[in-house]
Amino acid sequence: MEKTLSYEGYHLVFSDNFDGPTLDRTCWNVELHPPGWVNEELQEYVDNDEVIKLENGNLLLRAVKTLGKDGSVSYTSGRVSTQWKRDFTCGIFEARLKVPQGKGLLPAFWLMTTDEDKYGQWPVCGELDIMEVLGDQPRKNHGTLHYGLPHEETQGTVMLAEGDFSQAFHDFAVKWEPGCIRWYVDDKEYFRADSWFSAGSDGEKKPFPAPFDHDMYLILNLAVGGSWVGYPDETTDFHRARLAVDWVRVYQK
């Protein structure tokens, strides 16, 4: 399939190649959240070099399994975002990523609305997922919109013809335009959406293309377990449980 992602009319407005000695915190927040914060996930998001580090020009987000003296098991991992530091309405958002393989691991590259007060809390505010690869299905990527109340989603998937997303770096992108959102892997479009809605508990719908018509921010994270991906088992290798990010770029008209 020919490459279909066009940058004509766009210019680069944000990029990070992760070449420095440490994460650039003028651009990125390190988020801290307890276990079970969302989706019945097991990990605690923490801020230390074990779970978030720059190495050989890559950002590494690592999931760590810890055994307690009493036999208990706990998990820590990393999550970074650009909220209130780099926020964008529309554009091309892309990252070059290599994901981990393993039951119960869920890496993600996605956009969340900056100001949830504009339309309401999730899912009314809108969420745009660019890359989600379940650790036990490493050949398949999911691209998803979340919106509305009750919660609805629009989702497309793509399967690699050869190999899987844990074996090599691949480019994941979305082109967000007013009224149309397109998803790409390695510059090839595999899904598009041009229909969604914004409606809160009062049932009143806002004019299309709400809620995807105002600032959103970037998130990169590695979750452990959850209601969708399932949970780790004895086959999950936490020595290799890391999301590697070569670069992140944003283009706008």
Side-chain angles (χ1 to χ4, degrees):
M1 183 184 298
E2 293 183 359
K3 294 184 176 182
T4 54
L5 177 55
S6 171
Y7 300 87
E8 185 176 357
Y10 286 81
H11 64 279
L12 186 66
V13 295
F14 172 69
S15 67
D16 196 338
N17 295 322
F18 304 108
D19 292 329
T22 60
L23 184 70
D24 183 355
R25 300 198 182 212
T26 67
C27 302
W28 298 98
N29 309 298
V30 174
E31 297 193 11
L32 308 177
H33 300 291
W37 174 57
V38 292
N39 304 327
E40 301 174 25
E41 295 170 4
L42 300 177
Q43 80 289 329
E44 177 184 4
Y45 284 120
V46 298
D47 183 359
N48 62 48
D49 291 341
E50 191 174 28
V51 300
I52 301 174
K53 66 184 299 185
L54 268 58
E55 183 176 278
N56 299 324
N58 295 324
L59 166 64
L60 303 180
L61 301 180
R62 183 178 172 220
V64 177
K65 177 180 179 180
T66 302
L67 299 176
K69 293 182 179 180
D70 60 355
S72 62
V73 179
S74 61
Y75 302 90
T76 55
S77 190
R79 173 174 165 135
V80 299
S81 74
T82 66
Q83 186 178 22
W84 305 116
K85 294 181 177 178
R86 298 291 188 276
D87 304 277
F88 311 92
T89 299
C90 295
I92 298 172
F93 303 82
E94 60 179 350
R96 186 164 178 79
L97 309 166
K98 184 164 70 171
V99 307
Q101 181 176 357
K103 176 68 175 175
L105 299 176
L106 181 58
F109 169 47
W110 50 298
L111 301 176
M112 184 67 179
T113 191
T114 300
D115 181 6
E116 292 188 43
D117 291 334
K118 184 174 177 67
Y119 295 122
Q121 297 297 304
W122 192 95
V124 179
C125 62
E127 174 184 323
L128 199 172
D129 301 324
I130 304 169
M131 181 282 294
E132 289 183 297
V133 177
L134 280 65
D136 60 350
Q137 301 178 35
R139 289 183 57 202
K140 180 189 289 187
N141 179 59
H142 302 75
T144 313
L145 293 182
H146 297 271
Y147 53 90
L149 194 68
H151 171 220
E152 292 202 22
E153 67 178 40
T154 300
Q155 184 178 85
T157 61
V158 60
M159 294 277 289
L160 283 179
E162 298 180 359
D164 64 57
F165 292 111
S166 73
Q167 295 176 336
F169 282 90
H170 291 269
D171 297 347
F172 299 85
V174 71
K175 180 181 279 189
W176 166 24
E177 299 176 298
C180 186
I181 299 173
R182 298 173 171 86
W183 285 259
Y184 303 81
V185 165
D186 296 327
D187 297 333
K188 301 170 186 175
E189 182 182 335
Y190 70 90
F191 182 58
R192 69 174 64 185
D194 57 12
S195 177
W196 57 80
F197 66 88
S198 174
S201 57
D202 58 5
E204 182 180 346
K205 292 188 177 182
K206 310 301 188 294
F208 184 84
F212 301 103
D213 62 350
H214 64 123
D215 272 357
M216 305 187 84
Y217 62 94
L218 297 161
I219 304 174
L220 290 154
N221 68 283
L222 176 55
V224 180
S227 53
W228 180 36
V229 69
Y231 295 91
D233 59 22
E234 66 278 359
T235 69
T236 309
D237 183 1
F238 278 88
H239 293 97
R240 303 174 62 185
R242 65 183 194 180
L243 169 62
V245 187
D246 187 6
W247 45 257
V248 174
R249 297 170 185 164
V250 180
Y251 299 81
Q252 289 186 310
K253 289 185 177 181

